[in-house]
Structures are given as structure tokens and as C-alpha cells.
Amino acid sequence: MTLATDARSISTAQATWLVAERDILSRLRSKAFIISTLILVLIAVGGIVWMGISSATTSGTPVAATADSAEMLPDTEDLEVTEVADAAAGEALVRDGTVDAFVTPSAGSATGVEVVALDEAPDDVTSLLAVHPEVTLLEDPAVPFFLRYMLGLIFGVLFMGITLTFAMPIATAVVEEKQTRVVEILISTVSARALLAGKVLGNLILALGQIVVLAAASIIGLAVTGQGDFVTDFGAPVAWFAVFFALGFLLLSAMFAAAGSMVSRQEDISPTVMPVMYLVMLPYFLVVLFGNNPVLMNVMSYVPFSAPTAMPVRLYFNEAAWWEPVLSLGVLAVSCVIIIAVGARIYENSLLKMGGRVKVREALKG
């Protein structure tokens, strides 16, 4: 895909799309991009299939029981009951390892039954037969920390991984174009702002496309393995995540592009983009490690760099009012406009400056 040679013959919108189309086609022709996408799909589908197989193969603890004692056992999938004619048959199954325990009636037991085992008390059986007192909770049941941890990990890995996959290459591409002087040809054809907008738009389309592919593969995998309930539970949070991701990606990709425009050599890019990398990674670690802290999660829901991860987690657990994601999205949108404007100014003023690293103050002054 080539750009027009007469800058006066195309509008800014056309120039933006030409740059975006060039970047999209370039990435789609890359074997590394295609292979990495396929690997992500295989990992997602493989994890879903493994979950389905694990849930399908999970069986209850095998126990033997006479007809009378079987009626006293709790109706639960945690026990796999085999009825026997008498105590001798039940004890025989215990001795040959067919069952873990034999349950027989006992008038002197509080539960009405006695558990017979071989050489170790079966705690998983006795816990089901124990008499538990009634418990009254003064507040809503607490969400297990592990579940919060896993959700934060999922949304955080998606946001951080896909952002770094598509936004970081913008910075390296800008440096490569400066180092090879290609940028001078591009700027003679399109404006610097159109070049920046095209790069960001092209990579945003690729990132959202990868999310759609992963979501479609996951939905198909869940449906095939009989785990369709997860689609209903995750539907709304994933939809909000996609919207937050789009704005968050625009914000961060503009910062990566601005950082890349400030240097002229690939070896100088790491220290320049490192502050932006921290802005991507730190919120991820905060949400994962402190996902059980409601105050911190509320605050992070309105911080532009952590909202795409924190808000979907809160929405999944119904901890956010209907207006909170709207307000958080508004804060993110305003931040996006401001940072993109600043990033575009740095990009425009630094793009044609060769040699040493351009300082932020110098780039802002122009």
C-alpha cells in the first residue's frame, strides 16, 4: 500500500485511512502476527476445553450404603453411592478399594449413621454428614479472593498484553522511519497529525479485531463444552471492557508514538518508553494484588490507566451502580482527548528532529 504523492489531492481523513490501511496490511502479512494470534486462540480454547473436561469428569466420593442408610445421606453430587445388601458386602467393597467408606445405620449417632473406612477417616464424607449449626450473615456473602484474583488477572492480561502487542510497535515503527529517513517522504505527502492518527487507528482496528477473534473462539468453546452459562455472566463486563479498552488504547498508543518520535535510534527507545510501560503494567498489578480492597478498587475505577481493568471486575460482582461505568468512561474520554492532544504536539514537533533525544519541554514548545 503506497501513499499519494500530492498532499493537496487528499483530505486529512483520507490520509489517515491510507496510513491506517498501510499499517493493517503490513501487520496482516506478518507471519509473526498471524502465528501469535493463533497461539492466543489455542491457549484460550485449550483452557476452556480443559475446564469443561475437568468439570465433566469430576465425580463424587464413592461410598457404599445399605438401602436404609442411603435414604439418610444428603442428596449431593459430592457422594457417589453404591447400594449393598448388608454390612458384609459394604465392608468387602471398602477392603478391595472400590469405595472409600461404607455408611451403615447407627442408633447412637447424632446423624443416624456410622461411617466404616479402611485405615483412615474419610474427611470428605464425614464433613457432609456432620451436623452444622445455622449461620446468619450480617452482610452480603464475601466474594472469594481467588475469584477476584482470577478476574483481575484475565482482564489485566488482556489489556496489558494486547496494548503492548499493538501500541509498542507504534513507537518502534516511528523510530525506524526516522532512522531510515522514510518519515521525511511520508511528511511530504501527509501531515504529521494524519500520520499519527493513521498509525493509532490501524493498530486499534487490529487490536479490536484480535479481541473479537478471541471472544468468538471462547464463546464457541464454551458452547461446545456445555459451559454456556459463563457467556451470560461475562457478557456485560466484557462489553464494557471492550469500550474501555478502545479509549485506553487510544490514550496509550498516542503516548507510545510521542515517545518514539523523541529519539532517532532504536537503542535509545527503551528508556524513553519506559514511563509509558509503567503506566500500562502498574495498574494491572494493583488490580490483581489489591482486588479485594473495595476502596482502592473504587478509586482505580476512575483512574484512566486502571479503569479498563478495575471497572469490569466490579461490574461482574454487581458492585458498581449503573452510572459509575458511564462516569468512569467520561473521565477516560476527557483524559484521552487531553493526552492525545499533548502527545500529538510532541509527535509533530519531534518527528523531524534527528540526532540526540528530544526533551519533553523542547518538544512541547516546538
Side-chain angles (χ1 to χ4, degrees):
M1 185 68 187
T2 58
L3 298 176
T5 57
D6 187 358
R8 295 170 296 180
S9 64
I10 58 175
S11 64
T12 301
Q14 289 174 320
T16 298
W17 177 246
L18 283 173
V19 176
E21 190 175 0
R22 186 192 67 149
D23 280 17
I24 291 172
L25 293 177
S26 176
R27 292 295 292 274
L28 290 178
R29 293 192 188 102
S30 170
K31 292 182 179 180
F33 172 73
I34 296 174
I35 292 174
S36 63
T37 302
L38 290 175
I39 290 175
L40 287 175
V41 171
L42 289 176
I43 291 174
V45 174
I48 291 171
V49 171
W50 178 80
M51 287 171 54
I53 293 175
S54 298
S55 60
T57 56
T58 300
S59 58
T61 303
V63 297
T66 60
D68 294 338
S69 58
E71 296 179 355
M72 302 179 189
L73 295 177
D75 186 13
T76 175
E77 295 180 354
D78 294 331
L79 290 179
E80 185 179 336
V81 182
T82 300
E83 287 196 17
V84 293
D86 51 32
E91 292 178 6
L93 292 180
V94 172
R95 291 185 180 279
D96 63 22
T98 304
V99 297
D100 292 350
F102 166 58
V103 183
T104 181
S106 175
S109 172
T111 59
V113 294
E114 177 187 358
V115 178
V116 179
L118 186 60
D119 55 6
E120 184 179 1
D123 294 335
D124 49 351
V125 178
T126 56
S127 63
L128 292 172
L129 298 175
V131 179
H132 299 285
E134 182 178 351
V135 178
T136 301
L137 300 178
L138 298 177
E139 299 181 0
D140 294 334
V143 178
F145 175 76
F146 179 75
L147 182 56
R148 284 187 179 275
Y149 176 85
M150 289 304 300
L151 283 177
L153 190 66
I154 291 171
F155 286 122
V157 166
L158 281 175
F159 181 70
M160 182 179 70
I162 296 178
T163 298
L164 294 180
T165 299
F166 292 98
M168 181 62 183
I170 296 177
T172 57
V174 170
V175 178
E176 182 180 355
E177 290 171 356
K178 289 187 66 175
Q179 194 169 12
T180 58
R181 300 281 182 170
V182 172
V183 68
E184 296 176 6
I185 301 174
L186 296 175
I187 290 299
S188 67
T189 306
V190 299
S191 67
R193 288 179 179 264
L195 185 59
L196 171 62
K199 288 182 176 296
V200 172
L201 177 62
N203 282 275
L204 174 61
I205 292 173
L206 287 169
L208 291 176
Q210 192 172 79
I211 290 177
V212 170
V213 170
L214 288 172
S218 299
I219 291 173
I220 294 173
L222 289 170
V224 170
T225 56
Q227 304 176 80
D229 292 342
F230 285 102
V231 178
T232 304
D233 295 338
F234 277 96
V238 168
W240 277 108
F241 171 77
V243 178
F244 275 98
F245 172 84
L247 288 178
F249 182 87
L250 289 175
L251 182 150
L252 289 168
S253 57
M255 297 178 68
F256 273 109
S261 68
M262 296 169 65
V263 296
S264 302
R265 301 183 305 171
Q266 291 288 351
E267 51 266 33
D268 296 332
I269 193 172
S270 294
T272 307
V273 301
M274 193 56 66
V276 187
M277 297 279 285
Y278 287 145
L279 291 175
V280 177
M281 294 187 295
L282 285 178
Y284 157 71
F285 288 112
L286 288 175
V287 172
V288 171
L289 297 177
F290 301 100
N292 215 30
N293 187 320
V295 176
L296 188 58
M297 287 293 286
N298 288 347
V299 172
M300 289 192 294
S301 296
Y302 298 98
V303 176
F305 303 103
S306 58
T309 303
M311 185 58 78
V313 173
R314 293 184 61 216
L315 288 171
Y316 179 82
F317 295 113
N318 296 318
E319 296 172 349
W322 66 268
W323 52 267
E324 289 194 67
V326 178
L327 177 60
S328 177
L329 201 61
V331 173
L332 179 57
V334 172
S335 303
C336 193
V337 171
I338 296 173
I339 293 179
I340 286 178
V342 175
R345 182 173 179 83
I346 294 175
Y347 180 85
E348 192 173 25
N349 293 337
S350 305
L351 197 57
L352 294 178
K353 293 183 178 180
M354 305 299 175
R357 177 181 173 184
V358 181
K359 295 182 179 179
V360 176
R361 183 178 302 176
E362 181 183 351
L364 289 173
K365 287 181 179 180

